[in-house]
C-alpha cells in the first residue's frame, strides 16, 4: 500500500509496513463508529475519500466530512493520491 504525498513522514511508512493491500469500505455511520473504536491520530483525505490504517487494513469511506474529524481532535492530512499499486514516479 503506498500513500503519496509524504506529509506524514515516518508514521506513514510505519502504517504502510503493517497494513495489507486489502481495503475495507464503510458507509458514513459505520466509519464514524470505527473512528471512535480505533481512535486514529491521523485520517488521510484525497478527493471524496477519507482513510486510515487500523487492524492491518486500510479503512475508508466516500461519505466522511473533514470538519467532523477535526472537531474530534484528529489531524486530517490532505494527500494527492490513494492507490495500492506499486510506486512509480
Amino acid at each position: 500500500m503506498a500513500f503519496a504525498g509524504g506529509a506524514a513522514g515516518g508514521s506513514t511508512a510505519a502504517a504502510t509496513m503493517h497494513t495489507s493491500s486489502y481495503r475495507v469500505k464503510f458507509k458514513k455511520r459505520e466509519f464514524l463508529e470505527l473512528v471512535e473504536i480505533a481512535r486514529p491520530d491521523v485520517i488521510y483525505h484525497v478527493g471524496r475519500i477519507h482513510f486510515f490504517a487500523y487492524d492491518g487494513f486500510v479503512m475508508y469511506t466516500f461519505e466522511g466530512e473533514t470538519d467532523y474529524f477535526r472537531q474530534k481532535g484528529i489531524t486530517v492530512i490532505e494527500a494527492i493520491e490513494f492507490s495500492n499499486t506499486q510506486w512509480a514516479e
Side-chain angles (χ1 to χ4, degrees), residues 13-52:
T16 302
M17 292 186 304
H18 301 293
T19 305
S20 77
S21 62
Y22 288 99
R23 300 178 307 265
V24 183
K25 183 178 180 180
F26 292 90
K27 292 187 179 270
K28 181 179 180 177
R29 191 181 99 208
E30 289 78 10
F31 188 79
L32 296 178
E33 288 175 5
L34 183 61
V35 167
E36 293 296 324
I37 293 167
R39 300 193 182 278
D41 294 326
V42 175
I43 292 179
Y44 300 91
H45 179 235
V46 177
R48 294 178 24 227
I49 190 169
H50 286 84
F51 61 98
F52 66 96

Side-chain angles (χ1 to χ4, degrees), residues 1-4 16 21 23 81-89:
M1 176 67 53
F3 300 116
T16 302
S21 62
R23 300 178 307 265
E81 182 178 353
F82 177 77
S83 174
N84 68 341
T85 59
Q86 187 173 12
W87 187 85
E89 189 172 349

Side-chain angles (χ1 to χ4, degrees), residues 29-79:
R29 191 181 99 208
E30 289 78 10
F31 188 79
L32 296 178
E33 288 175 5
L34 183 61
V35 167
E36 293 296 324
I37 293 167
R39 300 193 182 278
D41 294 326
V42 175
I43 292 179
Y44 300 91
H45 179 235
V46 177
R48 294 178 24 227
I49 190 169
H50 286 84
F51 61 98
F52 66 96
Y54 178 68
D55 204 22
F57 301 97
V58 172
M59 310 299 185
Y60 74 100
T61 188
F62 285 110
E63 301 173 4
E65 297 170 11
T66 297
D67 288 339
Y68 174 84
F69 301 124
R70 288 192 176 127
Q71 291 170 3
K72 293 288 187 181
I74 300 169
T75 301
V76 177
I77 296 179
E78 300 293 332

